[in-house]
Amino acid sequence: RTPPSASMTMCRRSATMSAAAMGALLAATGAGGFDIPPLEMYSCDAEYDHWETLWTPDWKAWCCKHHNKGCPTTTTLTTTSSTVTTSVTSTTTVTTETKTETMTTKTESTTSTTPARGCDAMCWYKGMTSSCRDRINWASTHAEGGTANEIAPCPAARVLVISQCDMCGECELEDTQC
């Protein structure tokens, strides 16, 4: 007959082996065959209807980066113009009639974008929106409100535009084609 302490040792070994076998089985089947999703830092669906006011800046940045939700919006105003010119000439008399029609379409859209940088950055000044490149080129060729009369009109135009719109400081003169 086996003494009581020996039978307890056998039970413990048997239980230990069963636990080891169970651990190997779980490891081989990927945690028991269950798919466990990775942990997320923030829930990008929680309070999504009011994310602008309820989410913290860190929450917005994380969800924008990982799930394209909570990204800041920007408003872009696009103006499109087209000109149609019609000329009619009569051969019996020397009369020329020119008709010019200009159509302007304005479209406003809201999109999530990264703001343009450098010479493509849009600068709003005195009710007009233009790229830094366009503003520097315009200023260099106009005497009134520009720098056309300066000894070096292009560098002077860049200084003028930066004083009006500091984001244009990232626009290098060699990138303006001035």
Side-chain angles (χ1 to χ4, degrees):
R1 189 155 199 244
T2 307
S5 61
S7 71
M8 287 178 70
T9 301
M10 288 176 63
C11 283
R12 278 190 204 136
R13 279 190 190 152
S14 159
T16 302
M17 290 174 70
S18 295
M22 181 65 81
L25 178 63
L26 288 174
T29 60
F34 297 106
D35 289 331
I36 300 173
L39 292 177
E40 300 262 326
M41 188 171 217
Y42 297 99
S43 171
C44 300
D45 293 320
E47 306 296 341
Y48 186 67
D49 292 340
H50 303 287
W51 67 269
E52 293 97 339
T53 55
L54 297 178
W55 289 6
T56 64
D58 290 341
W59 190 351
K60 292 174 189 175
W62 191 90
C63 287
C64 181
K65 180 178 179 182
H66 294 89
H67 295 282
N68 204 24
K69 290 183 177 183
C71 300
T73 59
T74 58
T75 300
T76 305
L77 180 63
T78 305
T79 302
T80 306
S81 295
S82 62
T83 303
V84 177
T85 303
T86 306
S87 294
V88 178
T89 305
S90 175
T91 55
T92 57
T93 59
V94 183
T95 304
T96 302
E97 179 184 328
T98 302
K99 181 180 176 184
T100 303
E101 295 178 33
T102 302
M103 297 181 292
T104 302
T105 306
K106 289 189 177 184
T107 306
E108 185 172 328
S109 62
T110 302
T111 55
S112 296
T113 58
T114 303
R117 300 182 58 85
C119 295
D120 294 325
M122 298 304 286
C123 173
W124 186 86
Y125 181 72
K126 289 190 177 182
M128 297 282 297
T129 301
S130 298
S131 71
C132 296
R133 175 182 293 108
D134 290 344
R135 290 184 44 74
I136 290 169
N137 286 318
W138 183 92
S140 70
T141 59
H142 288 79
E144 188 174 329
T147 60
N149 293 335
E150 297 290 328
I151 294 171
C154 290
R158 182 175 181 267
V159 170
L160 173 67
V161 170
I162 291 170
S163 73
Q164 297 165 345
C165 196
D166 60 348
M167 73 176 56
C168 291
E170 294 181 19
C171 179
E172 299 298 328
L173 189 58
E174 52 270 1
D175 295 332
T176 65
Q177 290 86 38
C178 182

